[in-house]
PDB file of all heavy atoms in Angstrom:
ATOM      1  N   ALA A  81    -140.196 135.301-229.753  1.00 88.00           N
ATOM      2  CA  ALA A  81    -139.781 136.487-228.995  1.00 88.00           C
ATOM      3  C   ALA A  81    -140.742 137.624-229.216  1.00 88.00           C
ATOM      4  O   ALA A  81    -141.098 138.353-228.276  1.00 88.00           O
ATOM      5  CB  ALA A  81    -138.364 136.906-229.419  1.00 88.00           C
ATOM      6  N   GLY A  82    -141.176 137.815-230.457  1.00 92.00           N
ATOM      7  CA  GLY A  82    -142.128 138.892-230.750  1.00 92.00           C
ATOM      8  C   GLY A  82    -143.451 138.643-230.067  1.00 92.00           C
ATOM      9  O   GLY A  82    -144.054 139.593-229.489  1.00 92.00           O
ATOM     10  N   LEU A  83    -143.976 137.424-230.110  1.00 93.00           N
ATOM     11  CA  LEU A  83    -145.221 137.111-229.394  1.00 93.00           C
ATOM     12  C   LEU A  83    -145.068 137.219-227.884  1.00 93.00           C
ATOM     13  O   LEU A  83    -146.008 137.659-227.201  1.00 93.00           O
ATOM     14  CB  LEU A  83    -145.652 135.670-229.766  1.00 93.00           C
ATOM     15  CG  LEU A  83    -146.073 135.480-231.216  1.00 93.00           C
ATOM     16  CD1 LEU A  83    -146.324 134.018-231.508  1.00 93.00           C
ATOM     17  CD2 LEU A  83    -147.361 136.257-231.522  1.00 93.00           C
ATOM     18  N   SER A  84    -143.868 136.893-227.400  1.00 92.00           N
ATOM     19  CA  SER A  84    -143.627 137.018-225.946  1.00 92.00           C
ATOM     20  C   SER A  84    -143.651 138.486-225.536  1.00 92.00           C
ATOM     21  O   SER A  84    -144.106 138.829-224.454  1.00 92.00           O
ATOM     22  CB  SER A  84    -142.290 136.413-225.592  1.00 92.00           C
ATOM     23  OG  SER A  84    -142.289 135.000-225.862  1.00 92.00           O
ATOM     24  N   PHE A  85    -143.080 139.368-226.421  1.00 93.00           N
ATOM     25  CA  PHE A  85    -143.114 140.787-226.106  1.00 93.00           C
ATOM     26  C   PHE A  85    -144.571 141.289-226.060  1.00 93.00           C
ATOM     27  O   PHE A  85    -144.920 142.123-225.203  1.00 93.00           O
ATOM     28  CB  PHE A  85    -142.331 141.573-227.137  1.00 93.00           C
ATOM     29  CG  PHE A  85    -142.388 143.075-226.970  1.00 93.00           C
ATOM     30  CD1 PHE A  85    -141.637 143.659-225.953  1.00 93.00           C
ATOM     31  CD2 PHE A  85    -143.141 143.826-227.815  1.00 93.00           C
ATOM     32  CE1 PHE A  85    -141.728 145.058-225.781  1.00 93.00           C
ATOM     33  CE2 PHE A  85    -143.184 145.220-227.660  1.00 93.00           C
ATOM     34  CZ  PHE A  85    -142.474 145.799-226.631  1.00 93.00           C
ATOM     35  N   MET A  86    -145.379 140.842-227.002  1.00 96.00           N
ATOM     36  CA  MET A  86    -146.803 141.192-226.981  1.00 96.00           C
ATOM     37  C   MET A  86    -147.454 140.654-225.706  1.00 96.00           C
ATOM     38  O   MET A  86    -148.338 141.326-225.095  1.00 96.00           O
ATOM     39  CB  MET A  86    -147.515 140.665-228.181  1.00 96.00           C
ATOM     40  CG  MET A  86    -147.045 141.282-229.488  1.00 96.00           C
ATOM     41  SD  MET A  86    -147.780 140.509-230.968  1.00 96.00           S
ATOM     42  CE  MET A  86    -149.528 140.914-230.709  1.00 96.00           C
ATOM     43  N   ALA A  87    -147.075 139.463-225.260  1.00 96.00           N
ATOM     44  CA  ALA A  87    -147.593 138.905-224.001  1.00 96.00           C
ATOM     45  C   ALA A  87    -147.174 139.753-222.817  1.00 96.00           C
ATOM     46  O   ALA A  87    -147.907 139.891-221.862  1.00 96.00           O
ATOM     47  CB  ALA A  87    -147.161 137.457-223.832  1.00 96.00           C
ATOM     48  N   VAL A  88    -145.942 140.292-222.854  1.00 95.00           N
ATOM     49  CA  VAL A  88    -145.481 141.172-221.792  1.00 95.00           C
ATOM     50  C   VAL A  88    -146.421 142.388-221.700  1.00 95.00           C
ATOM     51  O   VAL A  88    -146.839 142.790-220.581  1.00 95.00           O
ATOM     52  CB  VAL A  88    -144.024 141.671-222.053  1.00 95.00           C
ATOM     53  CG1 VAL A  88    -143.670 142.794-221.100  1.00 95.00           C
ATOM     54  CG2 VAL A  88    -143.045 140.495-221.866  1.00 95.00           C
ATOM     55  N   LEU A  89    -146.741 142.945-222.852  1.00 97.00           N
ATOM     56  CA  LEU A  89    -147.648 144.150-222.835  1.00 97.00           C
ATOM     57  C   LEU A  89    -148.988 143.726-222.274  1.00 97.00           C
ATOM     58  O   LEU A  89    -149.626 144.499-221.493  1.00 97.00           O
ATOM     59  CB  LEU A  89    -147.775 144.661-224.278  1.00 97.00           C
ATOM     60  CG  LEU A  89    -146.514 145.173-224.942  1.00 97.00           C
ATOM     61  CD1 LEU A  89    -146.831 145.673-226.346  1.00 97.00           C
ATOM     62  CD2 LEU A  89    -145.896 146.318-224.102  1.00 97.00           C
ATOM     63  N   GLY A  90    -149.508 142.563-222.660  1.00 97.00           N
ATOM     64  CA  GLY A  90    -150.766 142.090-222.151  1.00 97.00           C
ATOM     65  C   GLY A  90    -150.752 141.886-220.623  1.00 97.00           C
ATOM     66  O   GLY A  90    -151.665 142.236-219.891  1.00 97.00           O
ATOM     67  N   ALA A  91    -149.632 141.278-220.141  1.00 96.00           N
ATOM     68  CA  ALA A  91    -149.474 141.026-218.719  1.00 96.00           C
ATOM     69  C   ALA A  91    -149.403 142.312-217.919  1.00 96.00           C
ATOM     70  O   ALA A  91    -149.980 142.476-216.852  1.00 96.00           O
ATOM     71  CB  ALA A  91    -148.255 140.170-218.479  1.00 96.00           C
ATOM     72  N   VAL A  92    -148.679 143.306-218.446  1.00 96.00           N
ATOM     73  CA  VAL A  92    -148.531 144.617-217.782  1.00 96.00           C
ATOM     74  C   VAL A  92    -149.870 145.307-217.719  1.00 96.00           C
ATOM     75  O   VAL A  92    -150.251 145.854-216.686  1.00 96.00           O
ATOM     76  CB  VAL A  92    -147.488 145.468-218.488  1.00 96.00           C
ATOM     77  CG1 VAL A  92    -147.533 146.910-217.958  1.00 96.00           C
ATOM     78  CG2 VAL A  92    -146.090 144.907-218.358  1.00 96.00           C
ATOM     79  N   TYR A  93    -150.631 145.280-218.797  1.00 97.00           N
ATOM     80  CA  TYR A  93    -151.965 145.872-218.834  1.00 97.00           C
ATOM     81  C   TYR A  93    -152.854 145.241-217.758  1.00 97.00           C
ATOM     82  O   TYR A  93    -153.528 145.958-217.033  1.00 97.00           O
ATOM     83  CB  TYR A  93    -152.586 145.721-220.224  1.00 97.00           C
ATOM     84  CG  TYR A  93    -154.005 146.228-220.298  1.00 97.00           C
ATOM     85  CD1 TYR A  93    -154.243 147.595-220.469  1.00 97.00           C
ATOM     86  CD2 TYR A  93    -155.084 145.334-220.208  1.00 97.00           C
ATOM     87  CE1 TYR A  93    -155.566 148.050-220.539  1.00 97.00           C
ATOM     88  CE2 TYR A  93    -156.411 145.806-220.268  1.00 97.00           C
ATOM     89  CZ  TYR A  93    -156.621 147.122-220.421  1.00 97.00           C
ATOM     90  OH  TYR A  93    -157.892 147.628-220.505  1.00 97.00           O
ATOM     91  N   CYS A  94    -152.860 143.913-217.716  1.00 96.00           N
ATOM     92  CA  CYS A  94    -153.702 143.228-216.688  1.00 96.00           C
ATOM     93  C   CYS A  94    -153.169 143.517-215.286  1.00 96.00           C
ATOM     94  O   CYS A  94    -153.989 143.631-214.335  1.00 96.00           O
ATOM     95  CB  CYS A  94    -153.710 141.758-216.972  1.00 96.00           C
ATOM     96  SG  CYS A  94    -154.507 141.265-218.523  1.00 96.00           S
ATOM     97  N   PHE A  95    -151.864 143.606-215.144  1.00 96.00           N
ATOM     98  CA  PHE A  95    -151.274 143.827-213.838  1.00 96.00           C
ATOM     99  C   PHE A  95    -151.750 145.141-213.206  1.00 96.00           C
ATOM    100  O   PHE A  95    -152.076 145.204-212.017  1.00 96.00           O
ATOM    101  CB  PHE A  95    -149.697 143.917-213.970  1.00 96.00           C
ATOM    102  CG  PHE A  95    -148.993 144.250-212.702  1.00 96.00           C
ATOM    103  CD1 PHE A  95    -148.641 143.279-211.785  1.00 96.00           C
ATOM    104  CD2 PHE A  95    -148.584 145.536-212.486  1.00 96.00           C
ATOM    105  CE1 PHE A  95    -148.004 143.602-210.618  1.00 96.00           C
ATOM    106  CE2 PHE A  95    -147.926 145.897-211.303  1.00 96.00           C
ATOM    107  CZ  PHE A  95    -147.589 144.917-210.395  1.00 96.00           C
ATOM    108  N   TRP A  96    -151.860 146.213-214.034  1.00 96.00           N
ATOM    109  CA  TRP A  96    -152.323 147.489-213.495  1.00 96.00           C
ATOM    110  C   TRP A  96    -153.786 147.516-213.116  1.00 96.00           C
ATOM    111  O   TRP A  96    -154.236 148.472-212.484  1.00 96.00           O
ATOM    112  CB  TRP A  96    -152.010 148.579-214.496  1.00 96.00           C
ATOM    113  CG  TRP A  96    -150.539 148.867-214.630  1.00 96.00           C
ATOM    114  CD1 TRP A  96    -149.768 148.703-215.740  1.00 96.00           C
ATOM    115  CD2 TRP A  96    -149.686 149.337-213.587  1.00 96.00           C
ATOM    116  NE1 TRP A  96    -148.477 149.048-215.445  1.00 96.00           N
ATOM    117  CE2 TRP A  96    -148.364 149.439-214.117  1.00 96.00           C
ATOM    118  CE3 TRP A  96    -149.884 149.722-212.259  1.00 96.00           C
ATOM    119  CZ2 TRP A  96    -147.257 149.862-213.408  1.00 96.00           C
ATOM    120  CZ3 TRP A  96    -148.766 150.165-211.509  1.00 96.00           C
ATOM    121  CH2 TRP A  96    -147.461 150.222-212.115  1.00 96.00           C
ATOM    122  N   HIS A  97    -154.519 146.462-213.504  1.00 95.00           N
ATOM    123  CA  HIS A  97    -155.932 146.400-213.120  1.00 95.00           C
ATOM    124  C   HIS A  97    -156.116 145.476-211.925  1.00 95.00           C
ATOM    125  O   HIS A  97    -157.291 145.211-211.561  1.00 95.00           O
ATOM    126  CB  HIS A  97    -156.733 145.912-214.334  1.00 95.00           C
ATOM    127  CG  HIS A  97    -156.944 146.941-215.406  1.00 95.00           C
ATOM    128  ND1 HIS A  97    -155.932 147.245-216.307  1.00 95.00           N
ATOM    129  CD2 HIS A  97    -157.940 147.776-215.659  1.00 95.00           C
ATOM    130  CE1 HIS A  97    -156.365 148.178-217.141  1.00 95.00           C
ATOM    131  NE2 HIS A  97    -157.557 148.530-216.775  1.00 95.00           N
ATOM    132  N   LEU A  98    -155.042 144.974-211.334  1.00 95.00           N
ATOM    133  CA  LEU A  98    -155.145 144.148-210.137  1.00 95.00           C
ATOM    134  C   LEU A  98    -155.087 145.029-208.888  1.00 95.00           C
ATOM    135  O   LEU A  98    -154.585 146.174-208.914  1.00 95.00           O
ATOM    136  CB  LEU A  98    -154.018 143.136-210.059  1.00 95.00           C
ATOM    137  CG  LEU A  98    -153.864 142.156-211.240  1.00 95.00           C
ATOM    138  CD1 LEU A  98    -152.605 141.298-211.064  1.00 95.00           C
ATOM    139  CD2 LEU A  98    -155.109 141.283-211.364  1.00 95.00           C
ATOM    140  N   HIS A  99    -155.662 144.522-207.775  1.00 93.00           N
ATOM    141  CA  HIS A  99    -155.539 145.229-206.497  1.00 93.00           C
ATOM    142  C   HIS A  99    -154.077 145.258-206.048  1.00 93.00           C
ATOM    143  O   HIS A  99    -153.265 144.390-206.474  1.00 93.00           O
ATOM    144  CB  HIS A  99    -156.417 144.610-205.435  1.00 93.00           C
ATOM    145  CG  HIS A  99    -157.874 144.687-205.756  1.00 93.00           C
ATOM    146  ND1 HIS A  99    -158.488 145.868-206.063  1.00 93.00           N
ATOM    147  CD2 HIS A  99    -158.852 143.739-205.772  1.00 93.00           C
ATOM    148  CE1 HIS A  99    -159.805 145.675-206.272  1.00 93.00           C
ATOM    149  NE2 HIS A  99    -160.043 144.364-206.088  1.00 93.00           N
ATOM    150  N   ALA A 100    -153.758 146.178-205.167  1.00 93.00           N
ATOM    151  CA  ALA A 100    -152.345 146.388-204.756  1.00 93.00           C
ATOM    152  C   ALA A 100    -151.746 145.171-204.118  1.00 93.00           C
ATOM    153  O   ALA A 100    -150.587 144.789-204.486  1.00 93.00           O
ATOM    154  CB  ALA A 100    -152.271 147.560-203.780  1.00 93.00           C
ATOM    155  N   PHE A 101    -152.486 144.461-203.277  1.00 93.00           N
ATOM    156  CA  PHE A 101    -151.893 143.276-202.640  1.00 93.00           C
ATOM    157  C   PHE A 101    -151.706 142.121-203.634  1.00 93.00           C
ATOM    158  O   PHE A 101    -150.741 141.366-203.553  1.00 93.00           O
ATOM    159  CB  PHE A 101    -152.795 142.819-201.488  1.00 93.00           C
ATOM    160  CG  PHE A 101    -152.110 141.805-200.571  1.00 93.00           C
ATOM    161  CD1 PHE A 101    -151.123 142.202-199.704  1.00 93.00           C
ATOM    162  CD2 PHE A 101    -152.469 140.485-200.615  1.00 93.00           C
ATOM    163  CE1 PHE A 101    -150.480 141.272-198.891  1.00 93.00           C
ATOM    164  CE2 PHE A 101    -151.825 139.547-199.777  1.00 93.00           C
ATOM    165  CZ  PHE A 101    -150.832 139.986-198.918  1.00 93.00           C
ATOM    166  N   THR A 102    -152.622 142.055-204.595  1.00 93.00           N
ATOM    167  CA  THR A 102    -152.488 141.025-205.623  1.00 93.00           C
ATOM    168  C   THR A 102    -151.252 141.335-206.488  1.00 93.00           C
ATOM    169  O   THR A 102    -150.550 140.428-206.950  1.00 93.00           O
ATOM    170  CB  THR A 102    -153.741 140.987-206.520  1.00 93.00           C
ATOM    171  OG1 THR A 102    -154.898 141.015-205.723  1.00 93.00           O
ATOM    172  CG2 THR A 102    -153.753 139.709-207.381  1.00 93.00           C
TER     173      THR A 102
END
Side-chain angles (χ1 to χ4, degrees):
L83 292 172
S84 297
F85 177 74
M86 295 176 63
V88 169
L89 297 179
V92 170
Y93 175 81
C94 294
F95 175 85
W96 290 116
H97 287 79
L98 302 176
H99 295 309
F101 193 73
T102 316

